[in-house]
Amino acid sequence: MTTPEDGAAFQDPERVRALATAIAQAVRPGKRYRFMEFCGGHTHAIGRYGLAGLLPEAVTLIHGPGCPVCVLPAGRIDAALALAARPEVILCSYGDLFRVPGSARRSMISARAEGADIRMVTSPLQAVTIARDNPQRAVVFFAIGFETTAPASAAAIKASLAAGLTNFHELVCHVLTPPAMAAILAEEATAATDVRPRLDGLIGPGHVALITGMAPFDRFAQSNGRPIAVAGFEPTDLLQAVLALVTLTNEGAARAVNRYTRAVTEAGNTTAQALLNEVFEVKASAEWRGLGMVADSALALRPAYARFDAEKRFPCDLPPPQVNRACRCPDILRGLIAPEDCALFGRSCTPSDPVGACMVSSEGACAAAYAYGGRRAATPLRRPQP
């Protein structure tokens, strides 16, 4: 267990500088290293602590599609809004989804202003409580996120079942990390992505690995021929991961390494895995904002739990979503451009008036670039803001 004193040690400037020096010494002359940090939490930590400014010029960090709010396509927001428009429904959602625009920039916050009963929760179990307290209404939990939040959604299903509730449902939008990583790498073979040089490795999300263990990342590295370093969210965690990736790239090794050993075990959280496997199954394909349809990349309720499926309880046929074509969120999520390369960034798209999901979410790449001063290479090391 990490103590507060230990946590401060992971932000110690001397340790950070020592790791930056080790990375610079490991870099081979004339070689370029391009690593994608998949997780939006990593993107924000890199900006918050100014880590990219400490790296040698040969090392480039590229943000990826690891923000659960950002990768949710507009059609899923439209589906949630359609459910919330039904008078018999109470829609429950995490707060970071409230301002994400669907078609024509409609969001849950605007729908709530128009009278929809949409409630903010911090846990799906709160939605179960709301269902218990409102037996005459149908309560739908907007279940989003990666492997990290999916166990809580599964636990809510089980809690609802144990309580004998018949009015609790979920709009399931949980997605899986390794298939999206593979989709990013698969794009490199197409002419459309010539603008982005080949990635040399990926920084894996530590909170996902905490649930899954290292096995999915081991399989990913072996099948895709790229190293992956699982990292935590402190400065020394991330720099240790970069050092590992530089070393593995130099060796030509394609394997997964764990640089978040104080939290991630080889087997992961087997209790959470069992709960996931009991309640959910892997869908054949699912749509991601930016990535399109990705095979085996999302979860669906197993047939035994189909009665909790909000889309089966309230089927609706929605028109194709209307999106702002000037918004470059899809290209940003694929690492093809930086947030500042979008014509809307900081002009018509800001955190107070966002156009795209990447500017809305607390894990979004545009929100990070806006908060921490734009292009990351120019950012100095600094302590986080209180």
Side-chain angles (χ1 to χ4, degrees), residues 307-379:
R307 72 177 177 85
F308 294 95
D309 190 334
E311 292 177 281
K312 287 185 169 60
R313 174 68 179 81
F314 302 106
C316 62
D317 187 17
L318 295 173
Q322 303 170 23
V323 297
N324 187 331
R325 300 296 177 190
C327 172
R328 301 291 301 276
C329 275
D331 291 335
I332 293 166
L333 290 167
R334 290 150 64 202
L336 300 183
I337 66 169
E340 302 89 335
D341 295 326
C342 175
L344 307 184
F345 178 81
R347 298 178 180 86
S348 57
C349 183
T350 64
S352 60
D353 187 20
V355 176
C358 296
M359 186 63 88
V360 178
S361 172
S362 60
E363 293 189 59
C366 295
Y370 194 93
Y372 303 116
R375 296 190 185 277
R376 60 184 66 177
T379 311

Side-chain angles (χ1 to χ4, degrees), residues 14-381:
E14 293 306 315
R15 293 183 64 188
V16 168
R17 292 190 180 92
L19 281 165
T21 299
I23 292 169
Q25 292 171 342
V27 165
R28 290 181 175 171
K31 182 169 178 57
R32 303 287 301 182
Y33 302 80
R34 297 174 180 85
F35 305 130
M36 175 175 279
E37 83 271 5
F38 183 89
C39 175
H42 284 160
T43 300
H44 276 254
I46 289 165
R48 184 182 306 120
Y49 295 105
L51 300 182
L54 294 177
L55 298 177
E57 188 176 346
V59 178
T60 301
L61 298 181
I62 301 166
H63 49 75
C67 163
V69 171
C70 304
V71 299
L72 195 67
R76 302 305 282 167
I77 300 292
D78 290 350
L81 293 177
L83 287 168
R86 303 179 70 101
E88 70 271 38
V89 168
I90 300 172
L91 180 69
C92 297
S93 168
Y94 295 126
D96 53 359
L97 271 171
F98 265 56
R99 294 193 304 134
V100 177
S103 290
R105 298 188 71 172
R106 290 196 75 243
S107 67
M108 280 187 277
I109 202 165
S110 62
R112 191 166 71 168
E114 295 166 0
D117 192 347
I118 304 176
R119 305 187 189 184
M120 187 182 298
V121 296
T122 56
S123 161
L125 292 177
Q126 285 181 269
V128 175
T129 299
I130 292 171
R132 185 199 62 197
D133 295 342
N134 295 270
Q136 77 285 8
R137 306 279 301 279
V139 173
V140 175
F141 174 63
F142 198 171
I144 76 154
F146 292 93
E147 295 90 334
T148 314
T149 55
S153 297
I157 294 281
K158 297 280 288 184
S160 172
L161 189 65
L165 302 180
T166 59
N167 63 331
F168 178 77
H169 310 280
E170 292 190 358
L171 176 60
V172 177
C173 301
H174 286 297
V175 290
L176 303 173
T177 304
M181 289 180 164
I184 287 286
L185 297 186
E187 270 202 333
E188 293 176 350
T190 69
T193 59
D194 283 348
V195 294
R196 188 190 69 201
R198 182 183 189 276
L199 293 174
D200 296 295
L202 295 101
I203 300 174
H207 50 4
V208 170
L210 190 150
I211 299 295
T212 67
M214 290 299 293
F217 298 102
D218 289 332
R219 290 194 292 270
F220 167 86
Q222 293 173 19
S223 60
N224 291 276
R226 258 29 97 77
I228 182 166
V230 169
F233 298 86
E234 299 289 354
T236 55
D237 296 326
L238 285 158
L239 292 177
Q240 286 184 47
V242 172
L243 178 58
L245 289 176
V246 169
T247 303
L248 291 168
T249 301
N250 290 342
E251 296 171 351
R255 66 175 183 271
V257 296
N258 181 4
R259 290 297 178 267
Y260 195 25
T261 54
R262 68 182 183 280
V264 174
T265 63
E266 190 66 27
N269 186 330
T270 54
T271 301
Q273 292 168 24
L275 186 58
L276 279 177
N277 289 332
E278 178 186 344
V279 175
F280 294 116
E281 60 186 6
V282 177
K283 293 175 67 174
S285 66
E287 183 184 4
W288 292 56
R289 190 190 301 264
L291 302 183
M293 300 301 292
V294 180
D296 303 323
S297 68
L299 297 177
L301 290 166
R302 290 190 180 276
Y305 296 94
R307 72 177 177 85
F308 294 95
D309 190 334
E311 292 177 281
K312 287 185 169 60
R313 174 68 179 81
F314 302 106
C316 62
D317 187 17
L318 295 173
Q322 303 170 23
V323 297
N324 187 331
R325 300 296 177 190
C327 172
R328 301 291 301 276
C329 275
D331 291 335
I332 293 166
L333 290 167
R334 290 150 64 202
L336 300 183
I337 66 169
E340 302 89 335
D341 295 326
C342 175
L344 307 184
F345 178 81
R347 298 178 180 86
S348 57
C349 183
T350 64
S352 60
D353 187 20
V355 176
C358 296
M359 186 63 88
V360 178
S361 172
S362 60
E363 293 189 59
C366 295
Y370 194 93
Y372 303 116
R375 296 190 185 277
R376 60 184 66 177
T379 311
L381 174 67

